[in-house]
């Protein structure tokens, strides 16, 4: 909010100083208007950059392992160098097919470790877009002369729906790479690769994934064609700058729960329970994941064109179309284990607004 006042207050002071010079004979005057403002974002969803606290290629304990996961996610189970390893692998897979809850006996996985890649730093296709919205628009103008005006544009900050597009997925590749005896029991699975493509959250399925309040004051300078004495209809063009501040952001409950579950997965890997992360669910995780969302502020140019039509000497109607190119910000989502302070997941995505804004209102000059 402080940055908003840094913009608004200097303009207000400038207009206040010039109020002393408002003179209808040389067209130095004020004008206010109020009306319907319709905002139509033109930007499309961008990809999402995700980082986790899992070290790329880091070695993590396997812990428990389920036979059904071996069958579903193994890349080279039939190509293990050890013939005994291939036999045991096939046996574990068959048992997992008969019983989804079948776990590989602890003696075969005790002390086993795996190198994990693919989820420490990656880009997902899913992203966010902004829906159309409506609000009450307000303008305050000061005419330097009959043709040039300075204008402060605002309105009641609307609640904007943020729409999800696509999916956030994580493809983790786990390669068995256990220490040699005598530090661990003999292992026959070294080189075994398990690849699981995990759906973190389906943003598109959730529809509206967040709601945010948007503060977007703009300052513009306009040139009005024609003259007040002769023309009731006067077109104008203008340009300026818009500032965006976004707060009161509320994340959809379903998306939040998906991210909490992803936090459990990362916590299990970090605590040498990679098999439980592979299997899914909370497992033995004791983490207390907390999801937080924040958005950056934004600046952009504004280009506008429109008209005024005089009803009387003081009352008028007005309409305009404005465009704000490169008006975008960055949404950052973090998942933190509040019990340890570990940031488990961080994701960032650029949200492009680039809106077309229509405005229809009624004004008064004084």
């Amino acid at each position: 909010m402080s940055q908003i006042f840094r913009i608004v207050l200097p303009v207000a002071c400038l207009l206040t100083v010039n109020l002393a010079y408002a003179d209808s004979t040389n067209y130095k005057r004020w004008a206010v208007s109020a009306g319907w403002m319709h905002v139509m974002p033109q930007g499309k969803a961008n990809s999402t950059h995700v980082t986790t606290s899992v070290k790329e290629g880091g070695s993590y304990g396997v812990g428990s392992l389920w036979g059904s996961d071996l069958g579903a996610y193994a890349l080279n189970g039939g190509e293990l160098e050890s013939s005994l390893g291939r036999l045991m692998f096939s046996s574990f897979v068959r048992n997992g097919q008969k019983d989804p809850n079948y776990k590989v006996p602890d003696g075969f996985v005790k002390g086993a470790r795996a190198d994990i890649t693919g989820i420490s730093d990656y880009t997902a296709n899913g992203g966010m877009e902004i829906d159309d919205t409506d609000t009450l628009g307000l303008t305050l103008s000061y005419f330097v002369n009959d043709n040039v005006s300075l204008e402060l544009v605002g309105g009641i900050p609307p609640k904007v729906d943020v729409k999800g597009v696509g999916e956030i997925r994580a493809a983790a590749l786990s390669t068995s790479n256990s220490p040699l005896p005598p530090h661990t029991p003999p292992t026959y699975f070294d080189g075994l690769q398990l690849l699981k493509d995990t759906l973190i959250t389906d943003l598109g399925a959730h529809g509206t994934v967040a709601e945010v309040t948007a503060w977007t004051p703009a300052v513009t300078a306009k040139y009005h064609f024609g003259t007040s004495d002769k023309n009731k209809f006067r077109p104008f063009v203008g340009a300026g700058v818009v500032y965006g501040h976004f707060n009161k952001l509320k994340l959809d409950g379903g998306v939040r729960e998906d991210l909490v579950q992803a936090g459990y997965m990362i916590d299990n890997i970090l605590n040498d329970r990679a098999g439980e992360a592979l299997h899914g669910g909370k497992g033995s995780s004791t983490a207390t994941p907390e999801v937080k969302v924040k958005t950056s502020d934004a600046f952009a140019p504004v280009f506008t064109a429109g008209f005024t039509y005089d009803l009387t000497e003081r009352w008028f109607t007005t309409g305009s179309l404005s465009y704000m190119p490169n008006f975008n910000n960055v949404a950052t989502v973090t998942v933190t284990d509040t019990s340890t302070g570990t940031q488990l997941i961080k994701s960032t995505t650029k949200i492009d607004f680039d809106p077309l804004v229509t405005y229809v209102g009624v004004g008064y000059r004084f």
Side-chain angles (χ1 to χ4, degrees), residues 328-352:
N328 53 63
N329 71 349
V330 175
T332 302
V333 180
T334 56
V335 182
T336 303
D337 180 4
T338 58
S339 62
T340 63
T342 302
Q343 180 177 280
L344 302 171
I345 303 171
K346 178 182 178 181
S347 71
T348 58
T349 183
K350 184 164 75 77
I351 302 177
D352 291 331

Side-chain angles (χ1 to χ4, degrees), residues 292-309:
K292 288 187 176 181
V293 188
K294 65 178 182 179
T295 56
S296 63
D297 293 346
F299 284 93
V302 181
F303 302 98
T304 186
F307 68 89
T308 59
Y309 183 82

Side-chain angles (χ1 to χ4, degrees), residues 39-363:
V39 182
M40 300 170 287
Q42 304 298 299
K44 300 300 181 182
N46 296 293
S47 58
T48 299
H49 181 227
V50 182
T51 59
T52 72
S53 52
V54 174
K55 182 180 178 182
E56 182 70 8
S59 177
Y60 297 93
V62 172
S64 298
L65 195 60
W66 281 257
S68 58
D69 295 335
L70 290 176
Y73 308 123
L75 295 180
N76 62 347
E79 300 176 3
L80 293 172
E81 293 183 3
S82 167
S83 57
L84 182 57
R86 290 195 296 271
L87 287 173
M88 289 190 298
F89 175 85
S90 298
S91 174
F92 297 153
V93 170
R94 287 195 300 270
N95 290 337
Q97 291 171 342
K98 296 176 183 178
D99 179 7
N101 294 317
Y102 170 78
K103 295 169 69 173
V104 175
D106 290 342
F108 291 98
V109 292
K110 183 178 181 181
R113 302 187 70 81
D115 299 334
I116 298 178
T117 61
I119 59 171
S120 62
D121 190 324
Y122 66 96
T123 299
N125 291 328
M128 302 179 189
E129 291 180 355
I130 303 298
D131 273 349
D132 291 8
T133 190
D134 299 280
T135 190
L136 173 65
L138 302 170
T139 69
L140 173 64
S141 304
Y142 177 73
F143 282 77
V144 177
N145 55 46
D146 193 33
N147 297 105
V148 178
S149 67
L150 301 176
E151 186 170 275
L152 178 63
V153 184
I156 296 177
K159 290 183 178 180
V160 179
D161 289 337
V162 181
K163 182 174 63 177
V165 177
E167 300 176 338
I168 305 294
R169 308 189 72 93
L173 175 63
S174 173
T175 303
S176 179
N177 187 20
S178 302
L180 295 174
H183 302 291
T184 61
T187 177
Y188 301 96
F189 293 139
D190 275 0
L192 174 65
Q193 292 185 317
L194 302 175
L195 176 64
K196 184 178 182 182
D197 185 3
T198 303
L199 175 64
I200 302 301
T201 185
D202 186 343
L203 295 174
H206 286 289
T208 299
V209 299
E211 180 185 85
V212 64
T213 299
W215 301 75
T216 55
V219 178
T220 62
K222 293 180 178 178
Y223 183 85
H224 303 256
F225 298 91
T227 60
S228 294
D229 294 336
K230 297 179 179 180
N231 308 106
K232 287 188 174 182
F233 177 81
R234 299 185 65 186
F236 62 76
V237 294
V241 63
V242 61
Y243 167 71
H245 176 73
F246 311 89
N247 65 351
K248 298 181 180 179
L249 196 150
K250 297 179 181 179
L251 193 65
D252 173 77
V255 174
R256 186 180 294 275
E257 180 56 30
D258 288 344
L259 295 175
V260 167
Q261 293 300 316
Y264 290 138
M265 179 185 74
I266 298 301
D267 177 69
N268 278 326
I269 293 175
L270 296 178
N271 288 281
D272 294 330
R273 296 187 294 265
E276 293 188 21
L278 184 72
H279 195 61
K282 181 178 180 180
S284 302
S285 174
T286 58
T288 53
E290 180 182 51
V291 180
K292 288 187 176 181
V293 188
K294 65 178 182 179
T295 56
S296 63
D297 293 346
F299 284 93
V302 181
F303 302 98
T304 186
F307 68 89
T308 59
Y309 183 82
D310 290 351
L311 301 175
T312 68
E313 182 180 353
R314 294 186 179 275
W315 288 97
F316 64 93
T317 61
T318 183
S320 65
L321 175 65
S322 302
Y323 179 51
M324 305 173 186
N326 300 315
F327 190 30
N328 53 63
N329 71 349
V330 175
T332 302
V333 180
T334 56
V335 182
T336 303
D337 180 4
T338 58
S339 62
T340 63
T342 302
Q343 180 177 280
L344 302 171
I345 303 171
K346 178 182 178 181
S347 71
T348 58
T349 183
K350 184 164 75 77
I351 302 177
D352 291 331
F353 295 88
D354 302 339
L356 285 170
V357 181
T358 57
Y359 176 68
V360 178
V362 176

